[in-house]
Amino acid sequence: MAWIRTVGVLLLLALGSSIAKVEEEDPEYWRSQARSTLKTRLHHKPNTNVAKNVILFVGDGMSITTITAARILKGQLRNQSGEDSVMTMDTFPNVGMIKTYSVDFQIPDSAATATAYLCGVKTNLNTLGVNAAARNGVCKSQKGNEVTSILKWAKDAKKSVGIVSTTRIQHATPAAAYSHSASRKWYGDADLPASAKRDGCTDISAQLINNTDIDVIIGGGRKYMTPRGTKDPEYPRDFTSRGKRQDGRNIIDEWQRMKMGKVARYVWNRTDFDSVDPETTDYLMALFEPGDLRFEADRDPKMDPSIVETTEKAIRILQKNKNGFFLLVEGGRIDQAHHEGRGFMALHETVAFDYAIGKALELTNEKETLVVVTADHSQPIIFNGYPFRGQSVLGKSPLWAQDFKPYTMLMYGNGPGHKLINGSRPNLKDVDTKTKDFVQYAAVPTESSTHSGEDVAVLARGPMSHLFHGVQEQNYIAHAMAYASCVGEDQSHCSSSVSPTLDGANNLAAATGGAHFSRLLSVLLLMLALFH
Ligand SMILES: *[C@@H]1O[C@H](CO)[C@@H](O)[C@H](O)[C@H]1NC(C)=O
Ligand SMILES: *[C@@H]1O[C@H](CO)[C@@H](O)[C@H](O)[C@H]1NC(C)=O
Ligand SMILES: *[C@@H]1O[C@H](CO)[C@@H](O)[C@H](O)[C@H]1NC(C)=O
Ligand SMILES: *[C@@H]1O[C@H](CO)[C@@H](O)[C@H](O)[C@H]1NC(C)=O
Ligand SMILES: [Zn+2]
């Protein structure tokens, strides 16, 4: 069969070269592009300001493969070839790699990883806001092992704080910012085993309003907030959407009462969300679904805003604080789409996530706002074959496999897409693989894909973003963000005379040891000027 392969490859090369862009055949195209990139980098100066604001964007399960494929898709959705498109996150000047393992597992989950990058301490699988001496699901082991997050450190520093997610707000990533829980699954009190209640543990929803005073809360998860049987306002006839609490508490009402005297809005739909004026609103809680939000491709824009809009609203509300803010934005359903083996959904979620990053850059200033983009862990998606330039990233490789059947460029190591028909894989010849419900082939059958263990990227822009560099442990991210914004325990470099402002002179370099010297120097210079 070797000849078939040879002919195939020759055909591929012939077709490939006819598809290449004409300007790319000119070597000067590549040289001038590289020269311009080089020039930009040579003129790049580290930004050593204090970060007044920090925005952390977490793409849950956003592996590097996901980023590459989503970049191509983002370009193709704009009728470009895609490979050379530039996502917003691609423009960040500083990039590093992050080791994601947890204390007990080589490949981690979102709870252990969120505790690492938000609280600065690696911990065990399934545990939130506790150190590794706490045991998964054991309430008693939680006591005394709590660790706090940068959300709290920022609030303690009199900044405003917020969380935006596309999942339920009690889900692992957002929950690690405000709760301490031996189990990530204790969303509401009905999820706690009797022993955990007896030992004094409280559910994640209760902790949402009882721990750090959070200014902006946007996501899903209404059903964990209301008494059992409470009808959902959007799906009153759906039994599974009804309230789940056994203790009879209505956390939403309690939250509103706690904020009495402030302008605090609770909204659950687009109309009310749009009517929230950031200029006059102190607190916002927006819960758009009983559980997780819908995938971006399935979203009803008349009922729910996009992650771009929720990110914008959060920033506009938080931005009013002259001390600055900390905001966590999670693209939480990239991971969930991957778990279902749905490449289309995962990539569209990632594209929307990147647009949200773009919106954040539009609304903030690079001189005072540190923006960090990362993923918590990887997913077993691969991107393979020899597709032509400009070919749909959701399509099939031009060359068939040895079983004379086509295969998609995107596939999974494991997941629900594994299928054998009469002992061989299904023939995709007449299947449209570009639809939103298509499930990519997986080598090994699992009900849901597992996470995968290779490093993830961290990309950063703004004050002290050069700290996000090299190959680092995941818990380093919390420390670097805290250092950059002068919050948390380590503030030895943050002299009291240095306030986070736009003034280039008030920077961290001056604060670290050089502060006294530079002040002395300016006094001397002034004297010289006066007496000359
Ligand atoms: C892309 O091209 C199609 C077909 O030519 C057109 O209908 C669509 O509006 C274009 N989209 C954009 C974003 O330019
Ligand atoms: C609220 O927090 C306080 C102090 O952390 C704690 O003592 C109390 O049990 C918590 N209450 C609930 C209902 O979670
Ligand atoms: C949105 O929520 C408000 C407050 O509950 C309600 O009055 C309004 O009818 C809702 N809008 C829609 C379109 O459901
Ligand atoms: C499986 O093989 C049998 C016997 O060759 C054939 O009758 C049947 O149609 C095959 N099934 C599929 C789904 O291809
Ligand atoms: Zn996951």
Side-chain angles (χ1 to χ4, degrees):
M1 301 288 202
W3 65 272
I4 296 181
R5 201 171 169 74
T6 313
V7 170
V9 170
L10 287 175
L11 211 63
L12 193 69
L13 289 174
L15 278 169
S17 61
S18 70
I19 281 161
K21 297 181 181 179
V22 177
E23 69 271 25
E24 292 182 11
E25 290 179 6
D26 179 357
E28 200 45 37
Y29 170 85
W30 298 107
R31 291 183 187 126
S32 71
Q33 185 203 65
R35 273 196 300 268
S36 127
T37 308
L38 192 58
K39 204 166 146 199
T40 309
R41 192 63 204 183
L42 286 168
H43 284 97
H44 179 78
K45 291 203 178 54
N47 176 343
T48 55
N49 293 344
V50 173
K52 177 184 177 191
N53 313 312
V54 177
I55 308 177
L56 174 62
F57 280 95
V58 176
D60 202 311
M62 189 181 66
S63 61
I64 291 176
T65 302
T66 308
I67 295 177
T68 307
R71 174 191 303 133
I72 297 174
L73 179 66
K74 191 176 178 185
Q76 291 182 343
L77 291 171
R78 289 182 294 201
N79 286 345
Q80 296 162 0
S81 161
E83 303 83 7
D84 52 347
S85 298
V86 180
M87 288 215 282
T88 300
M89 66 176 98
D90 295 341
T91 65
F92 285 29
N94 295 292
V95 182
M97 296 213 296
I98 295 298
K99 300 192 269 183
T100 65
Y101 68 91
S102 69
V103 169
D104 52 350
F105 281 80
Q106 206 166 64
I107 299 181
D109 81 316
S110 296
T113 53
T115 304
Y117 61 74
L118 290 170
C119 306
V121 173
K122 284 211 182 195
T123 192
N124 296 322
L125 212 71
N126 290 334
T127 66
L128 291 170
V130 290
N131 66 46
R135 295 284 172 267
N136 176 17
V138 183
C139 166
K140 267 195 181 134
S141 70
Q142 198 179 303
K143 295 284 151 58
N145 288 319
E146 293 89 353
V147 291
T148 55
S149 81
I150 188 168
L151 182 96
K152 177 169 171 19
W153 312 337
K155 190 74 194 195
D156 289 347
K158 305 205 161 31
K159 291 176 189 286
S160 291
V161 298
I163 303 174
V164 170
S165 179
T166 51
T167 66
R168 67 199 85 171
I169 202 71
Q170 304 86 351
H171 208 255
T173 304
Y178 60 83
S179 76
H180 313 284
S181 189
S183 172
R184 59 179 282 178
K185 298 197 182 112
W186 295 346
Y187 302 124
D189 71 323
D191 301 311
L192 261 75
S195 62
K197 281 183 196 160
R198 206 167 45 238
D199 293 338
C201 282
T202 52
D203 62 280
I204 296 167
S205 299
Q207 293 189 49
L208 174 64
I209 63 164
N210 193 43
N211 296 349
T212 304
D213 174 36
I214 309 170
D215 303 271
V216 174
I217 298 168
I218 304 178
R222 298 192 285 253
K223 65 184 175 190
Y224 306 107
M225 310 286 273
T226 56
R228 185 158 58 180
T230 308
K231 279 186 189 165
D232 186 80
E234 190 172 351
Y235 312 103
R237 277 191 293 275
D238 178 28
F239 190 77
T240 60
S241 298
R242 292 191 178 168
K244 298 260 176 284
R245 297 197 71 83
Q246 290 173 343
D247 58 9
R249 290 175 66 183
N250 186 319
I251 305 282
I252 299 165
D253 290 351
E254 284 182 31
W255 177 83
Q256 281 187 303
R257 278 198 299 276
M258 283 165 73
K259 307 300 177 204
M260 209 83 89
K262 300 276 185 185
V263 180
R265 296 282 309 273
Y266 167 72
V267 305
W268 60 267
N269 62 43
R270 135 92 62 198
T271 344
D272 264 17
F273 174 79
D274 286 346
S275 77
V276 171
D277 177 4
E279 290 308 313
T280 57
T281 304
D282 303 313
Y283 290 94
L284 172 62
M285 183 188 282
L287 303 176
F288 294 110
E289 292 290 331
D292 299 326
L293 304 195
R294 300 191 197 180
F295 285 121
E296 177 59 26
D298 284 340
R299 184 172 61 86
D300 174 1
K302 288 197 288 298
M303 285 307 288
D304 297 343
S306 70
I307 187 173
V308 179
E309 296 166 280
T310 52
T311 300
E312 169 166 16
K313 188 80 83 180
I315 292 172
R316 288 194 188 280
I317 292 173
L318 300 173
Q319 221 163 34
K320 300 199 298 289
N321 187 332
K322 63 176 184 359
N323 299 317
F325 66 86
F326 172 81
L327 174 64
L328 168 67
V329 180
E330 187 204 17
R333 303 214 66 202
I334 300 168
D335 183 63
Q336 293 176 341
H338 277 322
H339 278 303
E340 295 175 13
R342 294 161 81 183
F344 176 106
M345 283 298 188
L347 299 193
H348 277 80
E349 290 295 300
T350 309
V351 170
F353 180 68
D354 194 62
Y355 275 117
I357 299 168
K359 179 54 77 176
L361 299 196
E362 243 175 79
L363 296 169
T364 57
N365 186 320
E366 185 171 5
K367 291 202 178 81
E368 60 173 13
T369 304
L370 170 66
V371 182
V372 179
V373 178
T374 191
D376 48 358
H377 54 71
S378 176
Q379 272 277 355
I381 187 170
I382 52 168
F383 179 34
N384 62 185
Y386 288 116
F388 303 121
R389 286 290 299 278
Q391 207 186 307
S392 167
V393 71
L394 297 165
K396 299 167 212 168
S397 179
L399 278 190
W400 292 357
Q402 277 186 323
D403 57 6
F404 298 103
K405 290 177 191 164
Y407 59 97
T408 53
M409 274 92 77
L410 298 177
M411 303 197 299
Y412 288 87
N414 63 41
H418 179 85
K419 203 195 257 174
L420 293 178
I421 295 169
N422 277 350
S424 64
R425 76 195 173 89
N427 197 341
L428 296 175
K429 197 162 72 65
D430 300 317
V431 177
D432 181 3
T433 63
K434 297 169 203 160
T435 60
K436 72 186 169 72
D437 296 317
F438 182 74
V439 175
Q440 271 81 8
Y441 193 76
V444 166
T446 55
E447 194 186 333
S448 160
S449 77
T450 68
H451 296 162
S452 60
E454 77 278 15
D455 295 351
V456 295
V458 63
L459 308 103
R461 171 192 197 262
M464 300 305 281
S465 56
H466 50 285
L467 295 177
F468 298 86
H469 186 81
V471 182
Q472 310 295 352
E473 294 289 356
Q474 193 160 38
N475 62 305
Y476 168 76
I477 293 176
H479 294 263
M481 291 189 300
Y483 185 97
S485 55
C486 283
V487 304
E489 270 175 13
D490 173 17
Q491 292 190 27
S492 50
H493 59 292
C494 308
S495 110
S496 55
S497 66
V498 178
S499 59
T501 69
L502 273 178
D503 185 346
N506 285 345
N507 60 34
L508 281 181
T512 34
H516 297 300
F517 179 70
S518 63
R519 227 169 294 143
L520 201 66
L521 197 69
S522 41
V523 170
L524 279 173
L525 285 173
L526 193 69
M527 282 166 71
L528 270 176
L530 283 175
F531 295 111
H532 214 72

mmCIF file of all heavy atoms in Angstrom, residues 411-415 417-419 440-445:
data_model
loop_
_atom_site.group_PDB
_atom_site.id
_atom_site.type_symbol
_atom_site.label_atom_id
_atom_site.label_comp_id
_atom_site.label_asym_id
_atom_site.label_seq_id
_atom_site.Cartn_x
_atom_site.Cartn_y
_atom_site.Cartn_z
ATOM 1 N N MET A 411 -9.353 15.190 18.123
ATOM 2 C CA MET A 411 -9.754 13.908 18.704
ATOM 3 C C MET A 411 -9.394 13.937 20.185
ATOM 4 O O MET A 411 -8.706 14.835 20.644
ATOM 5 C CB MET A 411 -9.014 12.755 18.024
ATOM 6 C CG MET A 411 -9.221 12.694 16.527
ATOM 7 S SD MET A 411 -8.767 11.108 15.791
ATOM 8 C CE MET A 411 -7.051 11.017 16.185
ATOM 9 N N TYR A 412 -9.872 12.919 20.887
ATOM 10 C CA TYR A 412 -9.587 12.859 22.325
ATOM 11 C C TYR A 412 -8.862 11.569 22.689
ATOM 12 O O TYR A 412 -9.090 10.518 22.076
ATOM 13 C CB TYR A 412 -10.892 12.948 23.129
ATOM 14 C CG TYR A 412 -11.501 14.338 23.108
ATOM 15 C CD1 TYR A 412 -12.367 14.733 22.086
ATOM 16 C CD2 TYR A 412 -11.187 15.271 24.094
ATOM 17 C CE1 TYR A 412 -12.913 16.013 22.060
ATOM 18 C CE2 TYR A 412 -11.731 16.546 24.077
ATOM 19 C CZ TYR A 412 -12.594 16.911 23.058
ATOM 20 O OH TYR A 412 -13.121 18.174 23.030
ATOM 21 N N GLY A 413 -8.003 11.661 23.673
ATOM 22 C CA GLY A 413 -7.318 10.471 24.197
ATOM 23 C C GLY A 413 -8.319 9.520 24.835
ATOM 24 O O GLY A 413 -8.336 8.325 24.566
ATOM 25 N N ASN A 414 -9.200 10.075 25.667
ATOM 26 C CA ASN A 414 -10.306 9.280 26.178
ATOM 27 C C ASN A 414 -11.553 10.148 26.189
ATOM 28 O O ASN A 414 -11.470 11.367 26.050
ATOM 29 C CB ASN A 414 -9.975 8.693 27.568
ATOM 30 C CG ASN A 414 -9.750 9.765 28.619
ATOM 31 O OD1 ASN A 414 -10.464 10.761 28.665
ATOM 32 N ND2 ASN A 414 -8.750 9.571 29.469
ATOM 33 N N GLY A 415 -12.704 9.520 26.356
ATOM 34 C CA GLY A 415 -13.945 10.289 26.347
ATOM 35 C C GLY A 415 -15.089 9.484 25.797
ATOM 36 O O GLY A 415 -14.932 8.306 25.448
ATOM 37 N N GLY A 417 -16.572 9.693 23.029
ATOM 38 C CA GLY A 417 -16.624 9.561 21.567
ATOM 39 C C GLY A 417 -16.064 8.254 21.034
ATOM 40 O O GLY A 417 -16.035 8.037 19.828
ATOM 41 N N HIS A 418 -15.619 7.380 21.918
ATOM 42 C CA HIS A 418 -15.088 6.102 21.433
ATOM 43 C C HIS A 418 -16.240 5.225 20.945
ATOM 44 O O HIS A 418 -17.254 5.095 21.619
ATOM 45 C CB HIS A 418 -14.339 5.386 22.557
ATOM 46 C CG HIS A 418 -13.785 4.058 22.134
ATOM 47 N ND1 HIS A 418 -12.571 3.941 21.499
ATOM 48 C CD2 HIS A 418 -14.300 2.806 22.219
ATOM 49 C CE1 HIS A 418 -12.356 2.658 21.215
ATOM 50 N NE2 HIS A 418 -13.385 1.959 21.642
ATOM 51 N N LYS A 419 -16.080 4.652 19.764
ATOM 52 C CA LYS A 419 -17.151 3.824 19.230
ATOM 53 C C LYS A 419 -16.552 2.805 18.263
ATOM 54 O O LYS A 419 -15.698 3.154 17.443
ATOM 55 C CB LYS A 419 -18.132 4.728 18.469
ATOM 56 C CG LYS A 419 -19.535 4.131 18.330
ATOM 57 C CD LYS A 419 -20.339 4.874 17.293
ATOM 58 C CE LYS A 419 -21.363 5.817 17.925
ATOM 59 N NZ LYS A 419 -22.024 6.629 16.882
ATOM 60 N N GLN A 440 -16.255 14.157 19.047
ATOM 61 C CA GLN A 440 -15.035 13.662 18.401
ATOM 62 C C GLN A 440 -14.648 12.274 18.918
ATOM 63 O O GLN A 440 -14.931 11.926 20.064
ATOM 64 C CB GLN A 440 -13.865 14.634 18.649
ATOM 65 C CG GLN A 440 -13.746 15.718 17.598
ATOM 66 C CD GLN A 440 -14.697 16.870 17.808
ATOM 67 O OE1 GLN A 440 -15.366 16.955 18.826
ATOM 68 N NE2 GLN A 440 -14.767 17.769 16.836
ATOM 69 N N TYR A 441 -13.983 11.547 18.045
ATOM 70 C CA TYR A 441 -13.543 10.194 18.384
ATOM 71 C C TYR A 441 -12.562 10.215 19.554
ATOM 72 O O TYR A 441 -11.721 11.113 19.658
ATOM 73 C CB TYR A 441 -12.884 9.544 17.165
ATOM 74 C CG TYR A 441 -12.683 8.057 17.334
ATOM 75 C CD1 TYR A 441 -13.761 7.182 17.216
ATOM 76 C CD2 TYR A 441 -11.426 7.532 17.634
ATOM 77 C CE1 TYR A 441 -13.589 5.820 17.387
ATOM 78 C CE2 TYR A 441 -11.249 6.162 17.805
ATOM 79 C CZ TYR A 441 -12.336 5.316 17.679
ATOM 80 O OH TYR A 441 -12.168 3.966 17.856
ATOM 81 N N ALA A 442 -12.684 9.213 20.424
ATOM 82 C CA ALA A 442 -11.740 9.060 21.532
ATOM 83 C C ALA A 442 -11.109 7.678 21.447
ATOM 84 O O ALA A 442 -11.781 6.698 21.113
ATOM 85 C CB ALA A 442 -12.451 9.230 22.867
ATOM 86 N N ALA A 443 -9.812 7.595 21.732
ATOM 87 C CA ALA A 443 -9.102 6.315 21.634
ATOM 88 C C ALA A 443 -9.641 5.313 22.656
ATOM 89 O O ALA A 443 -9.742 4.125 22.373
ATOM 90 C CB ALA A 443 -7.606 6.529 21.855
ATOM 91 N N VAL A 444 -9.981 5.804 23.826
ATOM 92 C CA VAL A 444 -10.400 4.934 24.922
ATOM 93 C C VAL A 444 -11.777 5.377 25.421
ATOM 94 O O VAL A 444 -12.020 6.577 25.573
ATOM 95 C CB VAL A 444 -9.357 5.019 26.069
ATOM 96 C CG1 VAL A 444 -9.887 4.411 27.354
ATOM 97 C CG2 VAL A 444 -8.050 4.340 25.638
ATOM 98 N N PRO A 445 -12.688 4.413 25.647
ATOM 99 C CA PRO A 445 -14.031 4.800 26.093
ATOM 100 C C PRO A 445 -14.074 5.175 27.579
ATOM 101 O O PRO A 445 -13.723 4.372 28.434
ATOM 102 C CB PRO A 445 -14.874 3.540 25.842
ATOM 103 C CG PRO A 445 -13.892 2.408 25.880
ATOM 104 C CD PRO A 445 -12.556 2.951 25.478
#
